[in-house]
Amino acid sequence: MQFPESWLRSFCNPDLTTQQLADLLTMAGLEVEELQPVAPPFTGVVVAQVLEVAKHPDADRLNVCKVDAGTGSVLQIVCGAPNVRPGIKVPCATVGAELPPGADGKPFKIKLGKLRGVESQGMLCSARELGVSEESNGLHILAEDAPLGQNIREHLKLDDTLFTLKLTPNLAHCLSVYGIAREVAALTGSPLIDPEIAPVKPEIDARLKVTVEAADLCGRFGGRVIQGVNPQAKTPDWMVERLARCGQRSVSALVDISNYVMFELGQPSHVFDLDKIKGELVVRWGKVGEELKLLNGNTVKLDEQVGVIADGSGQVESLAGIMGGDATAVGDDTRNVYLEAAFWWPKAIAGRARRYNFSTDASHRYERGVDPAPTAQYIERVTRLIIDICGGKAGPLDDQTLQRPERKPVTLRLSRAQRVIGMPVTLTQVEQVFMRLDLPFTAQAKGSDTHLVVVPPSWRFDLQIEEDLIEEVVRVIGFDKLPKRAPKAPVVPHVRPEARRSLYAVRRSVAARGYQEAITFSFVEEKWEADFAGNTQPIRVLNPIASPLAVMRSSLIGSLVEVLKTNLARKADRVRIFEVGRVFKRDAAVQDGDQTVAGFDQPVRVSGLAYGPADTLQWGQAVRNVDFFDVKGDVEALLAPRQAQFIKVEHPAFHPGRCAQVVVEGKAVGFVGELHPKWRQAYDLPLAPVLFELDADVLTQRAVPAFTSVPKMQSVYRDLALVVTDSTAHDALIGAITKAPSEGLVRGARLFDIYKPKAPVAGMADNERSLAVRVELRDDEQTLTDERIDVAMKAVLASLASEVGARVRA
């Protein structure tokens, strides 16, 4: 929100300097982002009138002008501006004047000199040369009644300051100069000057029928017919100046008046060309298939979620609360207009402009809330300005009130306010704050406490809960009045159980395996969910920040693949990344009061991706790409000392034959596998990355170390060469050995060799292979004898034969 200080002080003029006023607004929550002078410093520039213009004898593009600068003598000035002509009044820099710095950063001083042999006694200035505007189409022509010789800074009010406020969405009532002045009056106690808005007496009986079909779109609609206007009338200089200092370019008188009142009072309005409206106006929701060409030239497609104003033929003429249509726009041939101002429900406007990739001043205000109470007065204000500037005759005011926003009372407990603010606040102070803010209230004694019940006024959409009122109290009293005390809070250390570790420790463990952490959005492309999670019904975001980020992720795999693509695009050949984050899944319905709503599960997952060479380039070993077993080893290390089982499964993201489900203590905790070939091809990956995704809970839990004495007896090892089918799993083989009834002598087994003959071998079928396993046996109390070892090994062989069909290789 940008505005000139002089306009603000015309409504409320506190005895404060510009900087003090800016500091006051900032400390009250209306952050002043920038203070900027209207024009840079310069001296010696006055109002002058061009008396004569003659061609320069030696330059085609120069003119020799006779100028009256109010000094008592006529000055001769050489000027090259294309719009110089006799009779106009322009800024004139006299000899000795200093103009704003140029490109070299040094002030430009006007001296008596000659241009192509003709003496020049000054300089006629453009707005750009004065630093008033960035554009320059020639001399800055002044009003005809500008007094000769008057300092141009005084005449154009160039000593004004532009305020730029950075307003939060809850401050909709401050999106106008009058609204900010109302805040200044409450903060300083200075009188507030209300604008004089006298009703315009109707001179004609012309009306336009308006039917409001959607009360949930429009709560109040007002308008009137004005006939005989002159759309080519010149916008007054004072209005053009104020609009320019609010950052608004002058368009035409009718448009400028509408914009001016919006910046002045906060009420957007729209002017229709009445003769282009067919029949009547209908306020309703849009329909699928309808289109509208807007004032900005864009053609948008409509649906039931967008409010519109249509004519009697059904043709849409305006996007409600956002922008008018091109078909009924006012132009140079407009003679009769229909002026409209309405209260559009904020929820009906919010987000609609962003759907079409633009924003307007009107939608910015309506989606935050515009005061519905003085809609009729706003129309009267616009009507008076149109008649005074463009002429015409006004018809009677049509004001339809369907439903106003309900202002529910909000209760402030004095004891609660004191506790939240952090200093003793008296009842008198709170009452004074509410009176200064024009908040009607009643005080009620409740035991030892006092409750103040406030009914928010029509312009305060932000006052809904007790904390909102507490904020009003403290910001009016002054944040600088809060005591500077260090917070006192008991520091109680929370001892984490030894069987758990933090997610930060998990992150360090993954990083120690050579992975780098990535942080991505929780909302992702819908395509990722279908591809990598097989989720065709993802949780959708109601108001996504971008159309591709429209659903919540149920897996981290898609995010990691996207990070991989980004790294590959930057010529990275070896990538190790991981992420710790929440995923979002639909859960069973839960009861919320009297309603049953969908429940959501938000577990934390740890996911990693490895791509490219298994190790960095070195001389000690040949280059090979990372494979399933490398990442499987990383997962085993992260879960250690607990043993995990890896069970072959199918997953939509992984290669059918290179994917395993990770099971710990009988519970499935995640997956590890190589990316499916079709996704590698679809996402343009030269090599297949290997990924894992685990529940964070299983990684934050760990076994507490328990003391065991060093074995007194040595272990005995026996090697077995076993013939099994190719489909025999490693875990099944080792499980058959460790489960053998060996009186507890078997302490472990490890596979150390695999033999698959290339040609047929006696005693082995084509679908068989030989596995070499080393079995460890030990008795902690006594030395093992050959007899006991033989008995134990026979039990192991029997278990292998019955469990997996293994036999000793001949």
Side-chain angles (χ1 to χ4, degrees):
M1 175 70 185
Q2 178 179 304
F3 59 90
E5 180 183 3
S6 60
W7 197 359
L8 174 65
R9 289 187 182 272
S10 69
F11 289 115
C12 182
N13 189 13
D15 187 17
L16 299 173
T17 64
T18 299
Q19 188 60 53
Q20 288 174 334
L21 180 59
D23 293 341
L24 175 73
L25 290 173
T26 298
M27 292 306 296
L30 286 72
E31 180 184 352
V32 179
E33 194 172 24
E34 184 181 16
L35 289 177
Q36 183 180 0
V38 170
F42 61 82
T43 59
V45 183
V46 298
V47 176
Q49 185 173 27
V50 179
L51 303 177
E52 299 178 9
V53 178
K55 285 291 184 182
H56 193 289
D58 296 326
D60 294 338
R61 297 186 178 182
L62 295 180
N63 296 297
V64 180
C65 305
K66 299 297 183 181
V67 177
D68 182 3
T71 59
S73 60
V74 176
L75 303 178
Q76 177 176 282
I77 299 177
V78 179
C79 175
N83 62 338
V84 64
R85 63 181 185 273
I88 62 173
K89 291 184 178 181
V90 295
C92 176
T94 57
V95 174
E98 284 193 1
L99 296 183
D104 57 359
K106 297 180 180 179
F108 183 68
K109 190 169 185 178
I110 304 299
K111 301 178 181 178
L112 185 67
K114 291 185 177 182
L115 291 176
R116 294 289 186 95
V118 177
E119 184 178 68
S120 182
Q121 300 170 331
M123 174 180 171
L124 303 184
C125 302
S126 67
R128 185 173 185 177
E129 289 163 339
L130 297 179
V132 176
S133 172
E134 292 294 328
E135 299 181 2
S136 176
N137 296 319
L139 299 177
H140 183 47
I141 300 178
L142 305 174
E144 295 179 359
D145 59 352
L148 291 177
Q150 185 181 28
N151 188 304
I152 200 69
R153 297 193 70 90
E154 179 183 350
H155 177 69
L156 295 180
K157 301 177 182 178
L158 299 183
D159 292 323
D160 204 351
T161 303
L162 299 182
F163 278 60
T164 302
L165 303 189
K166 186 178 181 181
L167 298 176
T168 51
N170 64 308
L171 296 175
H173 58 287
C174 295
L175 286 171
S176 65
V177 179
Y178 177 76
I180 297 168
R182 184 166 50 200
E183 289 293 302
V184 173
L187 295 169
T188 61
S190 301
L192 177 66
I193 303 174
D194 292 323
E196 295 183 4
I197 304 177
V200 176
K201 185 178 180 180
E203 298 183 67
I204 57 176
D205 193 32
R207 297 172 182 266
L208 177 66
K209 182 181 177 182
V210 178
T211 303
V212 181
E213 295 182 351
D216 56 340
L217 168 64
C218 179
R220 185 176 184 181
F221 191 96
R224 74 175 352 142
V225 172
I226 306 176
Q227 294 181 348
V229 299
N230 176 18
Q232 301 184 45
K234 183 178 181 297
T235 305
D237 291 337
W238 59 268
M239 183 178 289
V240 173
E241 171 196 298
R242 282 186 170 177
L243 286 174
R245 294 179 183 182
C246 289
Q248 187 74 37
R249 185 192 301 270
S250 175
V251 179
S252 66
L254 291 171
V255 176
D256 291 347
I257 292 169
S258 176
N259 288 333
Y260 178 82
V261 175
M262 178 181 66
F263 284 110
E264 180 186 43
L265 303 176
Q267 170 69 59
S269 58
H270 185 64
V271 181
F272 293 88
D273 188 323
L274 181 63
D275 299 327
K276 296 177 182 178
I277 299 175
K278 299 176 182 178
E280 61 176 339
L281 290 182
V282 179
V283 179
R284 59 173 173 82
W285 291 103
K287 301 175 183 178
V288 175
E290 290 183 323
E291 292 186 350
L292 172 64
K293 185 178 181 181
L294 299 170
L295 289 173
N296 61 7
N298 295 343
T299 299
V300 297
K301 295 183 179 180
L302 310 176
D303 57 31
E304 302 93 336
Q305 301 298 318
V306 182
V308 299
I309 301 177
D311 63 16
S313 67
Q315 178 66 36
V316 178
E317 304 296 354
S318 174
L319 274 184
I322 299 175
M323 184 180 289
D326 181 69
T328 55
V330 295
D332 291 343
D333 58 346
T334 299
R335 291 296 174 267
N336 306 309
V337 299
Y338 182 76
L339 171 63
E340 167 266 318
F343 167 71
W344 307 101
W345 290 98
K347 289 184 178 180
I349 305 300
R352 270 59 173 190
R354 289 193 294 276
R355 287 180 54 182
Y356 302 115
N357 298 319
F358 67 87
S359 180
T360 63
D361 289 319
S363 65
H364 184 76
R365 286 161 173 78
Y366 278 127
E367 63 187 6
R368 285 159 174 77
V370 171
D371 186 4
T375 300
Q377 290 91 317
Y378 293 149
I379 295 177
E380 298 286 7
R381 172 66 168 158
V382 179
T383 303
R384 173 51 59 195
L385 288 173
I386 289 177
I387 292 175
D388 289 348
I389 297 171
C390 303
K393 297 180 180 180
L397 177 63
D398 177 21
D399 183 14
Q400 302 181 50
T401 301
L402 289 89
Q403 182 181 0
R404 293 190 184 183
E406 180 184 359
R407 292 288 184 260
K408 295 182 179 180
V410 183
T411 301
L412 179 142
R413 294 165 291 174
L414 185 61
S415 59
R416 169 73 173 166
Q418 293 172 341
R419 187 164 62 254
V420 173
I421 294 173
M423 69 177 186
V425 178
T426 65
L427 176 61
T428 301
Q429 286 178 300
V430 177
E431 290 176 337
Q432 288 177 348
V433 168
F434 288 166
M435 287 187 288
R436 289 164 65 178
L437 291 172
D438 201 12
L439 302 180
F441 69 93
T442 57
Q444 304 172 357
K446 298 287 185 178
S448 60
D449 199 3
T450 302
H451 292 192
L452 291 95
V453 181
V454 175
V455 179
S458 59
W459 64 84
R460 293 303 298 267
F461 287 79
D462 58 317
L463 301 181
Q464 299 179 4
I465 59 176
E466 184 177 21
E467 284 71 14
D468 296 332
L469 295 178
I470 295 175
E471 180 183 1
E472 295 300 300
V473 172
V474 68
R475 75 183 186 90
V476 173
I477 291 177
F479 288 107
D480 55 332
K481 302 294 192 301
L482 294 175
K484 298 178 181 179
R485 294 196 302 263
K488 294 181 179 180
V491 179
V492 180
H494 295 279
V495 180
R496 182 181 293 110
E498 193 176 357
R500 292 190 64 86
R501 59 178 174 173
S502 68
L503 281 176
Y504 295 102
V506 173
R507 287 183 170 93
R508 288 192 291 269
S509 297
V510 183
R513 305 296 301 174
Y515 293 78
Q516 291 183 316
E517 185 173 10
I519 300 175
T520 62
F521 285 123
S522 296
F523 19 82
V524 298
E525 292 190 34
E526 187 171 354
K527 184 175 183 291
W528 298 357
E529 282 295 293
D531 292 349
F532 300 121
N535 184 8
T536 58
Q537 296 294 328
I539 300 171
R540 299 189 177 279
V541 181
L542 294 179
N543 188 21
I545 62 173
S547 55
L549 307 177
V551 301
M552 302 303 293
R553 65 188 179 190
S554 63
S555 171
L556 303 178
I557 294 176
S559 301
L560 293 183
V561 171
E562 183 65 18
V563 174
L564 171 63
K565 287 187 62 179
T566 302
N567 281 270
L568 293 179
R570 286 154 180 78
K571 306 302 181 184
D573 61 345
R574 184 177 185 273
V575 179
R576 299 289 187 278
I577 51 176
F578 79 97
E579 181 172 9
V580 179
R582 292 192 180 277
V583 298
F584 303 84
K585 296 186 174 184
R586 297 186 187 278
D587 202 354
V590 295
Q591 200 70 21
D592 183 10
D594 297 333
Q595 296 182 340
T596 301
V597 297
F600 299 101
D601 188 19
Q602 304 178 38
V604 179
R605 295 284 178 82
V606 179
S607 188
L609 178 148
Y611 175 91
D615 204 348
T616 54
L617 186 65
Q618 58 164 301
W619 62 268
Q621 63 182 24
V623 176
R624 70 171 182 85
N625 291 324
V626 68
D627 60 20
F628 172 87
F629 297 102
D630 292 315
V631 178
K632 175 176 176 286
D634 291 336
V635 172
E636 289 177 324
L638 294 174
L639 294 171
R642 287 178 295 174
Q643 295 292 323
Q645 287 182 291
F646 294 85
I647 302 173
K648 181 180 177 181
V649 294
E650 290 191 5
H651 188 283
F654 297 128
H655 191 295
R658 300 171 188 173
C659 171
Q661 185 178 55
V662 183
V663 178
V664 176
E665 297 173 356
K667 180 182 178 182
V669 298
F671 296 90
V672 58
E674 182 181 298
L675 190 68
H676 200 290
K678 66 179 180 181
W679 304 137
R680 181 174 70 84
Q681 183 178 7
Y683 288 85
D684 298 325
L685 302 177
L687 301 172
V690 184
L691 304 100
F692 69 86
E693 184 167 278
L694 304 172
D695 291 336
D697 286 344
V698 74
L699 293 176
T700 56
Q701 298 172 4
R702 56 182 178 179
V704 178
F707 170 78
T708 57
S709 60
V710 178
K712 299 178 181 179
M713 303 301 170
Q714 293 183 349
S715 296
V716 175
Y717 297 94
R718 292 291 184 267
D719 292 346
L720 297 176
L722 304 171
V723 177
V724 296
T725 60
D726 291 337
S727 61
T728 301
H730 171 269
D731 286 349
L733 181 75
I734 301 302
I737 295 173
T738 56
K739 290 190 297 184
S742 59
E743 301 181 0
L745 298 184
V746 176
R747 298 304 177 94
R750 183 176 294 273
L751 175 70
F752 66 89
D753 187 36
I754 300 176
Y755 171 66
K756 178 71 175 177
K758 297 181 180 179
V761 176
M764 290 182 61
D766 291 341
N767 65 337
E768 292 181 330
R769 56 182 171 175
S770 174
L771 305 180
V773 181
R774 178 162 295 172
V775 182
E776 179 186 5
L777 302 100
R778 187 177 69 246
D779 187 334
D780 293 335
E781 301 299 330
Q782 55 184 321
T783 303
L784 290 176
T785 62
D786 290 340
E787 290 79 7
R788 294 184 67 192
I789 294 172
D790 292 341
V791 171
M793 291 306 297
K794 286 180 181 180
V796 168
L797 292 173
S799 178
L800 285 168
S802 62
E803 294 288 336
V804 297
R807 67 180 185 276
V808 177
R809 181 180 171 189

